[in-house]
Amino acid sequence: MREHYREELEDINNCLVEMSNSVGSAMSKATTALLDADVALADLVIAGDEHIDAVRESIEERCFTLLARQQPVATDLRTVTTAMRIVGDLERMGDLAVHVAKLARMRFPESAVPTEVRPIFLEAGHVAQSLVTQVGTVIAKLDVQGAAQLERDDDLMDQLHRQLFTELLSPGWPHGMESAIDITLLGRYYERFADHAVSVARRVVFLVTGERDMVALPN
Amino acid sequence: MREHYREELEDINNCLVEMSNSVGSAMSKATTALLDADVALADLVIAGDEHIDAVRESIEERCFTLLARQQPVATDLRTVTTAMRIVGDLERMGDLAVHVAKLARMRFPESAVPTEVRPIFLEAGHVAQSLVTQVGTVIAKLDVQGAAQLERDDDLMDQLHRQLFTELLSPGWPHGMESAIDITLLGRYYERFADHAVSVARRVVFLVTGERDMVALPN
């Protein structure tokens, strides 16, 4: 029984890593759909969200069953409750990829992203991908150092977000109000995607160290 | 021991209701700060978020301790894991009130909200307040009917959100790009606040009925 229990805990952790790969792939596709006005790819992301939601439900139920049947304590209990929160963040990251994809779809056959801010969204897509890869490693290896690096990469996303506003507010922005609204919302989606990645990392750090404050981490 | 355990479960539920009152009060103050460019009130909301975060931590820890010591099963276990998720939604609602307050603060002594869209934000504030009051009742009484009503009120918020875009996109919007960005973000904050209220209600419905789908609810 106990051996099965340990395997189940490990398997739940593996599912979280797979789920972070899924949301990373969704955001990556959504970024391409956005930049290339690729409506088929946008549709793939939108349709794929059902699978991500199903994975969340499945992980939640497995955690619940494990709590009910095995009644873990101490670190094992903390591991399960952490997993139950991490799935929430990951699911939301999937939703944000869908928001990006839906905006790409709405403006098709135009691109929602004018030339001036294209490099910013290209880079935001890269940072998002890098964050998600790190999230996978942090979860898989309970990697506290990786979590600290991830916070620094989140700063990159914040910088990109500020650059976006600088572009929008530059005199003579030629693309009108609809485009400005789109870009403001898109910037917010990428920023929140990164925030949730940081949130996952912090939950893992709390699990490992008992510390909520990332400032205490080694650089 | 068992009696204490039951009291603890009830007390955690009471804390959730109090926490929803706190985030309701925060959003209400933030809306006034926004509409009246009241920087002192905005500061109150920003400073008050620390308390809301502390309440979240306290509820999470109490749930954790209850799981560890009492090892509840069945409905009691579901009640605890639901509470652990609801605090996440409520904390985020508090963060969104802070975002509104910070925007009010940033534009002080001007108001971030021009006359044209003032009635929309006034109404959004009322809807937010009404949603939070309903959230409190849904949690306190496990009120599934109230949860269904809450979903309908969320539709009101979505309508307000669409009205906002109609205003922004009307020909000759006179307030420039900065104001348009502010309003787009503000609209998003209120919409997300309402989404989290709905999420809390759905979690309570799932706890009571085992159904995730609100469509199945009586109207």
Side-chain angles (χ1 to χ4, degrees), chain A residues 56-57 60-61 64 67-68 71-74 77-78 81 84-85 92 99 165 168-169 173 176-178 180-181 184-185 188-189 192 206 212, chain B residues 56-57 60-61 64 67-68 71-74 77-78 81 84-85 92 99 165 168-169 173 176-178 180-181 184-185 188-189 192 206 212:
Chain A
R56 174 189 61 83
E57 263 187 49
E60 280 186 351
E61 278 310 306
F64 186 82
L67 288 178
Q71 311 192 320
V73 293
L77 175 56
R78 189 75 72 185
T81 57
M84 290 177 103
R85 285 184 206 134
R92 186 70 201 140
H99 287 342
F165 289 135
L168 282 177
L169 294 171
W173 168 258
M177 195 55 87
E178 187 175 77
I181 295 173
T184 302
L185 289 175
R188 182 87 188 140
Y189 300 152
R192 290 296 301 153
F206 182 60
R212 285 194 197 270
Chain B
R56 173 189 60 82
E57 264 187 47
E60 280 186 350
E61 280 310 305
F64 186 83
L67 288 178
Q71 310 192 319
V73 293
L77 175 56
R78 189 75 74 187
T81 57
M84 290 176 104
R85 286 184 204 134
R92 186 72 201 138
H99 287 344
F165 289 135
L168 281 178
L169 293 172
W173 169 259
M177 195 55 86
E178 188 175 75
I181 295 173
T184 303
L185 289 175
R188 181 85 188 144
Y189 300 151
R192 290 297 301 154
F206 181 60
R212 286 193 197 270

Side-chain angles (χ1 to χ4, degrees), chain B residues 140-172:
Chain B
K141 302 185 179 169
L142 300 180
D143 177 3
V144 173
Q145 293 274 355
Q149 177 60 43
L150 195 149
E151 295 250 351
R152 286 192 291 274
D153 283 3
D154 176 49
D155 293 342
L156 285 179
M157 192 65 100
D158 291 341
Q159 279 174 33
L160 290 168
H161 201 209
R162 281 192 294 273
Q163 278 180 41
L164 212 50
F165 289 135
T166 308
E167 283 292 335
L168 281 178
L169 293 172
S170 68

Side-chain angles (χ1 to χ4, degrees), chain B residues 3-147:
Chain B
E3 194 169 330
H4 170 74
Y5 157 64
R6 194 106 335 263
E7 276 172 18
E8 176 69 1
L9 262 181
E10 271 175 33
D11 200 45
I12 287 173
N13 214 47
N14 292 338
C15 286
L16 288 176
V17 175
E18 275 175 38
M19 191 176 169
S20 65
N21 291 340
S22 298
V23 303
S25 162
M27 194 49 143
S28 185
K29 286 194 196 100
T31 303
T32 306
L34 181 71
L35 293 172
D36 299 351
D38 183 337
V39 76
L41 202 55
D43 283 342
L44 261 185
V45 175
I46 295 163
D49 195 49
E50 207 169 299
H51 171 70
I52 292 173
D53 290 350
V55 171
R56 173 189 60 82
E57 264 187 47
S58 149
I59 296 176
E60 280 186 350
E61 280 310 305
R62 285 173 69 176
C63 287
F64 186 83
T65 306
L66 205 145
L67 288 178
R69 294 209 185 137
Q70 304 287 347
Q71 310 192 319
V73 293
T75 304
D76 288 346
L77 175 56
R78 189 75 74 187
T79 302
V80 178
T81 57
T82 301
M84 290 176 104
R85 286 184 204 134
I86 286 177
V87 283
D89 283 303
L90 293 176
E91 187 206 6
R92 186 72 201 138
M93 289 164 83
D95 291 342
L96 290 160
V98 168
H99 287 344
V100 172
K102 282 189 173 167
L103 225 155
R105 179 166 233 314
M106 205 186 338
R107 298 298 167 227
F108 180 79
E110 303 296 317
S111 167
V113 172
T115 328
E116 290 86 341
V117 293
R118 197 183 154 82
I120 299 179
F121 282 105
L122 195 62
E123 186 59 22
H126 290 153
V127 175
Q129 185 56 56
S130 158
L131 283 167
V132 157
T133 308
Q134 289 175 77
V135 159
T137 312
V138 167
I139 296 172
K141 302 185 179 169
L142 300 180
D143 177 3
V144 173
Q145 293 274 355

